[in-house]
Amino acid sequence: MSLADSPLPHLRFERAAARENFSAICGIDEAGRGPWAGPVVAAAVILNPRRVPKGINDSKKLSPERREALYAELMDCAEVGVGVADVARIDRDNILAATMWAMLQAVLCLKSRPDYALVDGNRAPGLSCKTVTIVEGDGTSLSIAAASIVAKVTRDRMMVELHAQFPAYGFARHKGYGTAFHQAALAAHGPCLHHRQSFEPIARLMLR
């Protein structure tokens, strides 16, 4: 099945929660667990069911231009919270713990306190509301897909800013992932302070 033929995210999870009398339903997702550099960013989004932007999908299935356009719409018509776990926290606590922390911060940054949370994946932070995890939820829940867009755009912008400070690593083009270009830059220049020293490829370089 091609991406074009893949089912689009929907509101069935959110509507089922509403039928159980939950009123503030948020989707939570992250961006940046796999890269070798930069923060991990989480987003929590409470959609307005009367103003859901058209075309929301898993951020990985959207072009950068479409992600940016949807990000702008979401910031205008939805409640959005963002949490950022920096490299120091990732190296100190490990990437999973840092991701859970960022998700919690994203929820705490929402204007409203959610009473129901849909979380992408099979792990969730300790929230004070009913929480449901959905594996590949960014491809099935519109709220999670919206969160994936906000998290991805926010992190990509941060990596572009880091590129301006450290252009030799090419952060703007690969966003910190371990591409061939990134590996070559690391071999030539060594890691910078925004590289995750707890990740094996970077730790190996640090030992040299």
Side-chain angles (χ1 to χ4, degrees):
M1 179 184 292
S2 70
L3 292 181
D5 297 327
S6 299
L8 292 172
H10 49 71
L11 285 172
R12 288 197 285 274
F13 298 107
E14 293 85 345
R15 288 170 180 153
R19 286 194 295 271
E20 296 180 36
N21 295 319
F22 293 101
S23 57
I25 303 157
C26 77
I28 304 172
D29 200 4
E30 54 73 29
R33 285 185 66 173
W36 296 355
V40 61
V41 175
V45 175
I46 300 176
L47 291 172
N48 179 345
R50 293 178 295 277
R51 291 186 63 196
V52 178
K54 293 182 179 180
I56 291 177
N57 204 343
D58 174 359
S59 64
K60 297 184 293 296
K61 298 177 181 178
L62 299 170
S63 68
E65 295 76 17
R66 189 65 185 131
R67 284 197 298 265
E68 286 281 352
L70 285 167
Y71 173 91
E73 290 188 62
L74 288 165
M75 297 303 288
D76 180 58
C77 68
E79 284 193 44
V80 175
V82 173
V84 179
D86 62 16
V87 169
R89 182 176 292 275
I90 292 169
D91 285 340
R92 185 190 71 197
D93 297 343
N94 75 52
I95 185 61
L96 176 59
T99 300
M100 294 298 106
W101 181 87
M103 287 182 170
L104 176 59
Q105 297 309 304
V107 172
L108 293 175
C109 287
L110 288 168
K111 181 180 178 181
S112 304
R113 286 290 167 261
D115 54 10
Y116 196 100
L118 298 164
V119 183
D120 185 56
N122 58 9
R123 301 282 187 92
L127 302 175
S128 59
C129 65
K130 181 176 176 64
T131 305
V132 175
T133 58
I134 305 174
V135 175
E136 298 184 356
D138 48 7
T140 53
S141 161
L142 271 174
S143 296
I144 296 177
S148 79
I149 291 167
V150 172
K152 173 68 173 166
V153 170
T154 301
R155 187 179 188 278
D156 282 359
R157 290 178 177 182
M158 296 176 75
M159 296 308 294
V160 170
E161 291 178 3
L162 288 183
H163 177 86
Q165 300 174 46
F166 301 90
Y169 297 99
F171 290 142
R173 62 191 289 184
H174 53 66
K175 309 302 187 292
Y177 283 90
T179 64
F181 181 95
H182 195 182
Q183 292 177 53
L186 281 165
H189 305 288
C192 75
L193 72 164
H194 294 287
H195 282 96
R196 302 173 180 179
Q197 296 182 27
S198 56
F199 277 39
E200 193 274 335
I202 307 303
R204 189 169 61 247
L205 283 171
M206 297 295 291
L207 289 174
R208 293 181 182 177

